[in-house]
Short mmCIF file of all heavy atoms in Angstrom, two decimals:
data_model
loop_
_atom_site.label_atom_id
_atom_site.label_comp_id
_atom_site.label_asym_id
_atom_site.label_seq_id
_atom_site.Cartn_x
_atom_site.Cartn_y
_atom_site.Cartn_z
N SER A 8 9.12 -128.44 31.98
CA SER A 8 9.24 -127.71 33.22
C SER A 8 9.25 -128.70 34.38
O SER A 8 8.43 -129.61 34.41
CB SER A 8 8.08 -126.73 33.38
OG SER A 8 8.14 -126.09 34.63
N ALA A 9 10.18 -128.49 35.30
CA ALA A 9 10.26 -129.35 36.47
C ALA A 9 10.96 -128.59 37.59
O ALA A 9 11.59 -127.57 37.36
CB ALA A 9 11.04 -130.63 36.13
N GLY A 10 10.85 -129.12 38.77
CA GLY A 10 11.48 -128.49 39.91
C GLY A 10 12.23 -129.49 40.76
O GLY A 10 12.08 -130.70 40.61
N THR A 11 13.05 -128.95 41.64
CA THR A 11 13.81 -129.81 42.54
C THR A 11 12.99 -130.15 43.79
O THR A 11 13.27 -131.13 44.46
CB THR A 11 15.14 -129.15 42.95
OG1 THR A 11 14.86 -127.86 43.51
CG2 THR A 11 16.06 -129.01 41.75
N VAL A 12 11.98 -129.33 44.08
CA VAL A 12 11.07 -129.58 45.20
C VAL A 12 9.66 -129.27 44.72
O VAL A 12 9.06 -128.26 45.08
CB VAL A 12 11.42 -128.71 46.43
CG1 VAL A 12 10.54 -129.08 47.62
CG2 VAL A 12 12.88 -128.83 46.80
N PRO A 13 9.10 -130.13 43.85
CA PRO A 13 7.78 -129.82 43.30
C PRO A 13 6.68 -129.96 44.35
O PRO A 13 6.79 -130.75 45.28
CB PRO A 13 7.62 -130.86 42.19
CG PRO A 13 8.47 -131.99 42.61
CD PRO A 13 9.63 -131.40 43.37
N SER A 14 5.65 -129.16 44.17
CA SER A 14 4.49 -129.28 45.06
C SER A 14 3.23 -129.31 44.20
O SER A 14 2.76 -130.36 43.84
CB SER A 14 4.47 -128.14 46.07
OG SER A 14 4.47 -126.89 45.40
N ALA A 15 2.73 -128.16 43.85
CA ALA A 15 1.55 -128.05 42.99
C ALA A 15 1.69 -126.78 42.16
O ALA A 15 2.45 -125.88 42.54
CB ALA A 15 0.28 -127.99 43.84
N SER A 37 2.86 -130.30 38.75
CA SER A 37 4.22 -130.04 39.18
C SER A 37 5.03 -131.33 39.05
O SER A 37 4.59 -132.38 39.52
CB SER A 37 4.20 -129.54 40.63
OG SER A 37 5.46 -129.11 41.01
N LYS A 38 6.18 -131.27 38.38
CA LYS A 38 7.00 -132.46 38.14
C LYS A 38 8.36 -132.31 38.81
O LYS A 38 8.89 -131.21 38.90
CB LYS A 38 7.19 -132.67 36.64
CG LYS A 38 5.89 -132.94 35.89
CD LYS A 38 6.10 -132.97 34.40
CE LYS A 38 6.21 -131.64 33.75
NZ LYS A 38 5.10 -130.72 33.85
N HIS A 39 8.92 -133.42 39.24
CA HIS A 39 10.27 -133.43 39.78
C HIS A 39 11.24 -133.58 38.62
O HIS A 39 10.99 -134.31 37.65
CB HIS A 39 10.46 -134.58 40.79
CG HIS A 39 11.70 -134.42 41.59
ND1 HIS A 39 12.94 -134.79 41.11
CD2 HIS A 39 11.91 -133.91 42.82
CE1 HIS A 39 13.86 -134.52 42.01
NE2 HIS A 39 13.25 -133.99 43.07
N VAL A 40 12.37 -132.91 38.73
CA VAL A 40 13.38 -132.94 37.67
C VAL A 40 13.84 -134.37 37.36
O VAL A 40 14.23 -134.69 36.24
CB VAL A 40 14.55 -132.00 38.04
CG1 VAL A 40 15.37 -132.55 39.17
CG2 VAL A 40 15.41 -131.70 36.84
N ASP A 41 13.75 -135.26 38.34
CA ASP A 41 14.16 -136.66 38.12
C ASP A 41 13.32 -137.36 37.05
O ASP A 41 13.76 -138.34 36.46
CB ASP A 41 14.08 -137.46 39.43
CG ASP A 41 15.18 -137.09 40.41
OD1 ASP A 41 16.13 -136.37 40.01
OD2 ASP A 41 15.08 -137.51 41.57
N GLU A 42 12.11 -136.84 36.78
CA GLU A 42 11.28 -137.43 35.72
C GLU A 42 11.94 -137.32 34.35
O GLU A 42 11.57 -138.03 33.42
CB GLU A 42 9.91 -136.76 35.67
CG GLU A 42 9.01 -137.12 36.84
CD GLU A 42 7.60 -136.60 36.66
OE1 GLU A 42 7.07 -136.67 35.53
OE2 GLU A 42 7.04 -136.11 37.66
N PHE A 43 12.91 -136.42 34.23
CA PHE A 43 13.58 -136.20 32.94
C PHE A 43 15.00 -136.76 32.93
O PHE A 43 15.76 -136.50 32.00
CB PHE A 43 13.57 -134.71 32.61
CG PHE A 43 12.18 -134.16 32.52
CD1 PHE A 43 11.62 -133.47 33.58
CD2 PHE A 43 11.40 -134.38 31.39
CE1 PHE A 43 10.32 -132.98 33.51
CE2 PHE A 43 10.11 -133.90 31.31
CZ PHE A 43 9.56 -133.20 32.37
N VAL A 51 19.38 -126.14 29.73
CA VAL A 51 18.74 -126.36 31.02
C VAL A 51 18.78 -125.02 31.73
O VAL A 51 19.85 -124.43 31.93
CB VAL A 51 19.46 -127.44 31.86
CG1 VAL A 51 18.88 -127.50 33.26
CG2 VAL A 51 19.36 -128.79 31.18
N ILE A 52 17.59 -124.52 32.06
CA ILE A 52 17.48 -123.20 32.69
C ILE A 52 17.01 -123.38 34.12
O ILE A 52 15.98 -124.02 34.36
CB ILE A 52 16.48 -122.31 31.91
CG1 ILE A 52 16.94 -122.17 30.45
CG2 ILE A 52 16.34 -120.95 32.58
CD1 ILE A 52 15.89 -121.57 29.54
N THR A 53 17.76 -122.82 35.05
CA THR A 53 17.35 -122.84 36.46
C THR A 53 16.87 -121.44 36.83
O THR A 53 17.36 -120.44 36.30
CB THR A 53 18.50 -123.29 37.38
OG1 THR A 53 19.66 -122.51 37.11
CG2 THR A 53 18.81 -124.76 37.16
N LEU A 54 15.90 -121.38 37.75
CA LEU A 54 15.28 -120.11 38.11
C LEU A 54 15.55 -119.67 39.54
O LEU A 54 15.16 -118.58 39.91
CB LEU A 54 13.77 -120.17 37.87
CG LEU A 54 13.33 -120.51 36.45
CD1 LEU A 54 11.81 -120.53 36.36
CD2 LEU A 54 13.92 -119.55 35.44
N CYS A 55 16.14 -120.54 40.34
CA CYS A 55 16.49 -120.12 41.70
C CYS A 55 17.85 -120.72 42.05
O CYS A 55 18.28 -121.71 41.45
CB CYS A 55 15.42 -120.51 42.71
SG CYS A 55 15.30 -122.28 43.01
N ASP A 56 18.52 -120.10 43.00
CA ASP A 56 19.88 -120.51 43.33
C ASP A 56 19.95 -121.95 43.82
O ASP A 56 20.86 -122.69 43.46
CB ASP A 56 20.49 -119.56 44.37
CG ASP A 56 20.69 -118.17 43.80
OD1 ASP A 56 20.77 -118.04 42.55
OD2 ASP A 56 20.74 -117.20 44.58
N SER A 57 18.97 -122.38 44.63
CA SER A 57 19.04 -123.75 45.14
C SER A 57 18.85 -124.75 44.00
O SER A 57 19.48 -125.81 44.00
CB SER A 57 18.00 -123.99 46.24
OG SER A 57 16.69 -123.89 45.73
N ALA A 58 18.01 -124.43 43.02
CA ALA A 58 17.84 -125.33 41.87
C ALA A 58 19.13 -125.41 41.06
O ALA A 58 19.50 -126.47 40.57
CB ALA A 58 16.69 -124.86 40.98
N ARG A 59 19.81 -124.30 40.92
CA ARG A 59 21.08 -124.29 40.18
C ARG A 59 22.08 -125.22 40.84
O ARG A 59 22.81 -125.96 40.18
CB ARG A 59 21.64 -122.87 40.08
CG ARG A 59 23.00 -122.83 39.38
CD ARG A 59 23.54 -121.46 39.21
NE ARG A 59 23.59 -120.73 40.46
CZ ARG A 59 23.98 -119.48 40.57
NH1 ARG A 59 24.33 -118.81 39.50
NH2 ARG A 59 24.02 -118.89 41.73
N GLU A 60 22.10 -125.22 42.17
CA GLU A 60 23.06 -126.03 42.91
C GLU A 60 22.70 -127.51 42.92
O GLU A 60 23.58 -128.36 42.99
CB GLU A 60 23.17 -125.51 44.35
CG GLU A 60 23.77 -124.11 44.42
CD GLU A 60 23.62 -123.49 45.80
OE1 GLU A 60 23.24 -124.19 46.75
OE2 GLU A 60 23.90 -122.28 45.91
N THR A 61 21.41 -127.84 42.85
CA THR A 61 21.00 -129.24 42.96
C THR A 61 20.53 -129.85 41.65
O THR A 61 20.17 -131.02 41.62
CB THR A 61 19.88 -129.39 44.01
OG1 THR A 61 18.76 -128.60 43.60
CG2 THR A 61 20.35 -128.97 45.39
N CYS A 62 20.54 -129.08 40.58
CA CYS A 62 20.06 -129.58 39.29
C CYS A 62 20.97 -130.70 38.82
O CYS A 62 22.20 -130.58 38.85
CB CYS A 62 20.06 -128.45 38.27
SG CYS A 62 19.28 -128.89 36.72
N PRO A 63 20.38 -131.81 38.41
CA PRO A 63 21.20 -132.95 37.97
C PRO A 63 21.92 -132.65 36.66
O PRO A 63 21.59 -131.71 35.94
CB PRO A 63 20.19 -134.08 37.80
CG PRO A 63 18.90 -133.39 37.54
CD PRO A 63 18.95 -132.10 38.29
N VAL A 64 22.88 -133.49 36.36
CA VAL A 64 23.60 -133.40 35.10
C VAL A 64 22.81 -134.19 34.07
O VAL A 64 22.36 -135.31 34.34
CB VAL A 64 25.03 -133.97 35.25
CG1 VAL A 64 25.73 -134.03 33.92
CG2 VAL A 64 25.81 -133.15 36.27
N PHE A 65 22.61 -133.61 32.90
CA PHE A 65 21.89 -134.28 31.82
C PHE A 65 22.88 -134.70 30.74
O PHE A 65 23.90 -134.03 30.53
CB PHE A 65 20.82 -133.36 31.23
CG PHE A 65 19.67 -133.12 32.15
CD1 PHE A 65 19.64 -132.01 32.98
CD2 PHE A 65 18.61 -134.01 32.19
CE1 PHE A 65 18.58 -131.79 33.84
CE2 PHE A 65 17.54 -133.80 33.05
CZ PHE A 65 17.51 -132.69 33.87
N ARG A 71 23.87 -124.62 30.21
CA ARG A 71 23.16 -124.30 31.45
C ARG A 71 23.03 -122.78 31.55
O ARG A 71 23.99 -122.05 31.41
CB ARG A 71 23.90 -124.87 32.64
CG ARG A 71 23.88 -126.41 32.63
CD ARG A 71 24.63 -126.99 33.79
NE ARG A 71 23.88 -126.78 35.02
CZ ARG A 71 23.36 -127.77 35.75
NH1 ARG A 71 23.52 -129.02 35.37
NH2 ARG A 71 22.70 -127.52 36.84
N HIS A 73 21.23 -119.70 33.98
CA HIS A 73 20.60 -119.43 35.27
C HIS A 73 19.95 -118.05 35.25
O HIS A 73 20.60 -117.06 34.96
CB HIS A 73 21.63 -119.50 36.41
CG HIS A 73 21.01 -119.24 37.75
ND1 HIS A 73 20.07 -120.08 38.30
CD2 HIS A 73 21.18 -118.24 38.63
CE1 HIS A 73 19.70 -119.60 39.48
NE2 HIS A 73 20.35 -118.48 39.69
N ASP A 78 11.03 -116.13 44.58
CA ASP A 78 9.86 -117.01 44.56
C ASP A 78 8.60 -116.17 44.81
O ASP A 78 8.42 -115.64 45.90
CB ASP A 78 10.00 -118.08 45.64
CG ASP A 78 8.86 -119.06 45.67
OD1 ASP A 78 7.87 -118.88 44.91
OD2 ASP A 78 8.94 -120.02 46.44
#
Side-chain angles (χ1 to χ4, degrees):
S8 175
T11 55
V12 185
S14 57
S37 188
K38 297 173 282 300
H39 194 279
V40 71
D41 288 349
E42 289 188 41
F43 300 99
V51 172
I52 301 168
T53 52
L54 302 180
C55 70
D56 294 338
S57 65
R59 177 177 54 183
E60 294 168 10
T61 60
C62 188
V64 174
F65 290 94
R71 293 179 72 114
H73 181 64
D78 182 355

